[in-house]
């Protein structure tokens, strides 16, 4: 058993003492502290020979007392300490002393990640041996858990590794271990790709891991994550997950009947993530408790029907070819809506969605080609993003609390824009067709955002924003409302003074003008005031990142 334990620790951490918090030298010192007074007398004799002073002896004695108190803690406190550490750090506690050798096995969270185990991809010729070491490490860890803490349950169990047929039996054994101990959070990541790309040459064709059907009959599971798994075994078998609240299925092979059985067998399901799922042609989501739904590039999906009345967050992304159709007409409590490549989203559907979902706060529409004249009526919408809708010609926005707006695409007409006086707006302009009509549209668009607190305009060339002198009289009056403007020119600024003159003619009331180009920022300050750089928008961008992380 001692040999097995040394293998587990050394294999995972490596034999370099610098990889652990407590070096082998300090480990020996700690061991001598625990063994008794004989070692202490020996250390005192060594202190007399080396000439160390009494203050150093006192410090060492205090350190020994602290170490003794740490080793004297009861098991329940030691287990709690280990549970607060990451998986890697928890295993490192095995170096502290014999008292701590098996404490980490009592941790309620088990995470076995092959990438973390190797640290970096091993050479191709050593790959098979490295895999054997990882499998042996997991087997040894679970054996220790059975021997010393078999009566303890497991809260979270995760296995992430590159799947090959040879490890199928190992995965099944590890999953059974977690299910027998009433695991609450189960994550199985059977990656289809090698950690080093050249290894794909030797295994070009793979089949996903065939998940045991016992996973869907374990009543203790509350969160389930499946990546690169095949659910064929589940077909035709009863599914009973009475406490399941979160289900993430990524790169999973399944069909409509399996999905329907999962939904009917999970009455408490609140979050459902279907990303890159194969085998689904039509998805119909129903459930009284579902609050978050993600449907991301599923194949060969053609239609999504959502009949979950209490859903609050819906993220949908269709395919580039043969865009998918969606039906969310029954949703009335949406707060977060992200639609990308929803081919059947028309102007009437969009207006109806905003009228039904009065609680809508964030809406992102991307590559929705059926939109032409978008009309938005939303009393609580505070963030709206409109991105690359190629047939869109105009937009009418009535959102009195709108504080963040972003548009990207060709020049369109904003018939009206009702928003908060704290609005931060970003406009990404596509390459223009330089003519009088372009400058007229530019002036008209700028007039819609003249009341903004801060406006960002991003374009390809600086000439896109400079109205020629001979045309300026035709575009009077000027816009005096905007005080803070930021310009970003992607291809660089040819004439900075000319660009400033053109911008100042459109917005003579500016207090701060920022021009970004070629990695540098030029700040022009007028009337002695320093403007706000737009913290509200940055806050909104951070919120988007948090939502993406949740998904």
């Amino acid at each position: 058993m001692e040999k097995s334990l040394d293998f587990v620790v050394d294999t995972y951490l490596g034999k370099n003492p610098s990889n652990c918090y407590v070096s082998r030298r300090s480990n020996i010192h700690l061991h001598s502290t625990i063994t008794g007074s004989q070692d202490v007398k020996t250390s005192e004799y060594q202190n007399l020979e080396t000439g160390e002073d009494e203050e150093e002896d006192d410090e060492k004695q205090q350190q020994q007392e602290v170490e003794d108190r740490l080793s004297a803690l009861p098991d329940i406190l030691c287990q709690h300490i280990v549970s607060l550490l990451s998986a890697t750090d928890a295993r490192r506690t095995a170096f502290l002393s014999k008292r701590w050798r098996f404490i980490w096995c009592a941790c309620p969270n088990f995470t076995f990640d092959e990438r973390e185990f190797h640290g970096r991809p091993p050479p191709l010729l050593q790959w098979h041996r490295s895999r054997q070491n990882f499998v042996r490490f997991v087997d040894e860890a679970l054996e220790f858990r059975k021997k010393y803490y078999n009566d303890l349950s497991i809260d979270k169990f995760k296995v992430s590794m590159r799947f090959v047929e040879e490890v199928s039996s190992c995965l099944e054994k590890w999953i059974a271990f977690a299910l027998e101990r009433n695991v609450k959070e189960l994550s199985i990541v059977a990656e289809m790709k090698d950690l080093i790309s050249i290894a794909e040459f030797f295994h070009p064709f793979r089949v996903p891991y065939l998940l045991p059907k016992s996973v869907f009959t374990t009543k203790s599971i509350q969160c389930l994550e499946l990546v690169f798994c095949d659910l064929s075994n589940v077909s035709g078998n009863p599914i009973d997950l009475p406490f399941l609240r979160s289900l993430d299925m990524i790169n999973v092979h399944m069909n409509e009947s399996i999905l329907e059985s999962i939904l009917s067998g999970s009455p408490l399901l609140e979050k459902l993530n279907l990303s890159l799922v194969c085998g689904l042609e039509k998805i119909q989501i129903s459930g009284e408790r579902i609050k978050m739904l993600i449907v991301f590039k599923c194949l060969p999906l053609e239609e999504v029907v959502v009949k979950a009345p209490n859903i609050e967050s819906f993220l949908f992304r269709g395919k580039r070819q043969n865009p998918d159709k969606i039906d969310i007409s029954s949703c009335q409590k949406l707060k977060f809506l992200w639609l990308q490549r929803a081919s059947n989203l028309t102007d009437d559907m969009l207006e109806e969605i905003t009228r039904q979902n009065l609680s809508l706060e964030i809406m992102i529409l991307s590559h929705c080609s059926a939109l032409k004249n978008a009309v938005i009526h939303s009393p609580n919408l505070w963030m709206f993003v409109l991105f690359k809708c190629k047939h869109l010609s105009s937009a009418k926005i009535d959102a009195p609390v709108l504080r963040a707006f972003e548009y990207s695409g060709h020049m369109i007409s904003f018939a009206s824009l009702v928003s908060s006086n704290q609005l931060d707006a970003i406009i990404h302009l596509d390459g223009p067709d330089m003519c009088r009509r372009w400058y007229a549209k530019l002036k008209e668009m700028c007039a819609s955002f003249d009341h903004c607190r801060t406006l960002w305009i991003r374009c390809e060339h600086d000439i896109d924003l400079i109205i020629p002198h001979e045309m300026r009289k035709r575009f009077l009056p000027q816009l005096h409302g905007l005080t803070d403007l930021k310009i970003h020119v992607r291809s660089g600024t040819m004439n900075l003074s000319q660009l400033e003159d053109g911008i100042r003619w459109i917005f003579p009331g500016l207090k701060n003008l920022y021009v970004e180009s070629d990695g540098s920022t030029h700040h022009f300050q007028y009337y002695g005031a320093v403007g706000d750089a737009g913290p509200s928008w940055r806050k909104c961008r951070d919120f988007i990142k948090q939502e993406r992380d949740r998904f």
Side-chain angles (χ1 to χ4, degrees), residues 239-349:
I239 294 178
D240 187 15
L241 298 171
F243 299 105
L244 183 65
R245 288 182 169 81
S246 176
L247 176 60
D248 293 271
M249 293 189 287
I250 305 171
N251 285 105
V252 169
H253 291 229
M254 62 187 301
N255 54 39
E256 288 87 349
S257 62
I258 296 177
L259 178 60
E260 184 179 355
S261 300
I262 293 175
L263 293 177
S264 60
S266 309
L268 300 182
L269 188 63
E270 297 180 356
K271 176 193 173 183
L272 177 61
N273 179 6
L274 303 174
S275 298
L276 303 171
V277 175
C278 298
L280 297 177
E281 296 182 359
K282 181 178 179 179
I283 297 178
Q284 183 168 339
I285 305 298
S286 59
E288 295 292 332
R289 291 180 173 268
I290 296 181
K291 295 183 178 180
M292 178 181 292
L293 174 63
I294 302 110
V295 179
F296 181 85
K297 298 178 67 174
C298 297
L299 292 172
L301 186 64
E302 296 180 355
E303 186 178 1
V304 178
V305 180
V306 182
K307 295 184 178 180
N310 296 316
I311 191 170
E312 296 180 356
S313 300
F314 179 46
L315 185 149
F316 172 83
R317 181 176 180 181
K319 306 178 295 293
R320 290 182 178 273
Q321 295 81 16
N322 301 323
D324 308 330
K325 299 179 181 180
I326 63 168
D327 181 5
I328 55 175
S329 57
S330 62
C331 300
Q332 299 183 0
K333 297 183 180 181
L334 285 173
K335 294 183 179 180
F336 181 87
L337 178 61
W338 190 329
L339 301 179
Q340 184 171 351
R341 297 191 179 95
S343 61
N344 67 324
L345 182 64
T346 61
D347 299 334
D348 295 337
M349 289 181 58

Side-chain angles (χ1 to χ4, degrees), residues 116-308:
E116 182 183 349
F117 178 81
H118 295 311
R120 59 182 180 180
L124 180 60
L125 298 179
Q126 300 179 11
W127 183 262
H128 181 68
R129 183 178 180 181
S130 299
R131 170 173 294 282
Q132 288 181 331
N133 290 339
F134 175 74
V135 172
R136 186 179 176 186
F137 165 72
V138 178
D139 287 338
E140 293 282 356
L142 300 187
E143 286 297 326
F144 293 153
R145 179 61 179 250
K146 289 181 182 179
K147 182 175 181 180
Y148 296 101
Y149 304 100
N150 192 38
D151 57 333
L152 298 180
S153 61
I154 296 179
D155 293 338
K156 181 179 180 180
F157 187 86
K158 178 178 180 179
V159 175
S160 178
M161 65 184 305
R162 183 178 61 88
F163 175 72
V164 291
E165 289 293 333
E166 292 79 4
V167 301
S168 180
S169 59
C170 296
L171 275 173
E172 186 173 355
K173 179 176 61 175
W174 300 340
I175 294 174
F177 171 86
L179 298 182
E180 292 171 359
R181 284 151 185 81
N182 300 320
V183 64
K184 296 179 180 178
E185 299 182 24
L186 179 63
S187 177
I188 307 299
V189 182
E191 296 185 11
M192 299 287 289
K193 294 183 179 180
D194 295 297
L195 302 184
I196 46 179
S197 58
I198 191 173
E200 280 295 322
F201 177 79
F202 297 95
H203 298 281
F205 303 104
R206 298 189 184 281
V207 293
Y209 170 62
L210 196 60
L211 191 72
K213 56 185 178 182
S214 57
V215 172
F216 288 92
T217 57
T218 303
K219 298 182 179 181
S220 62
I221 295 180
Q222 299 179 8
C223 298
L224 180 60
E225 181 185 24
L226 304 175
V227 184
F228 289 109
C229 295
D230 188 356
L231 305 187
S232 300
N233 283 345
V234 185
S235 181
N237 294 286
I239 294 178
D240 187 15
L241 298 171
F243 299 105
L244 183 65
R245 288 182 169 81
S246 176
L247 176 60
D248 293 271
M249 293 189 287
I250 305 171
N251 285 105
V252 169
H253 291 229
M254 62 187 301
N255 54 39
E256 288 87 349
S257 62
I258 296 177
L259 178 60
E260 184 179 355
S261 300
I262 293 175
L263 293 177
S264 60
S266 309
L268 300 182
L269 188 63
E270 297 180 356
K271 176 193 173 183
L272 177 61
N273 179 6
L274 303 174
S275 298
L276 303 171
V277 175
C278 298
L280 297 177
E281 296 182 359
K282 181 178 179 179
I283 297 178
Q284 183 168 339
I285 305 298
S286 59
E288 295 292 332
R289 291 180 173 268
I290 296 181
K291 295 183 178 180
M292 178 181 292
L293 174 63
I294 302 110
V295 179
F296 181 85
K297 298 178 67 174
C298 297
L299 292 172
L301 186 64
E302 296 180 355
E303 186 178 1
V304 178
V305 180
V306 182
K307 295 184 178 180

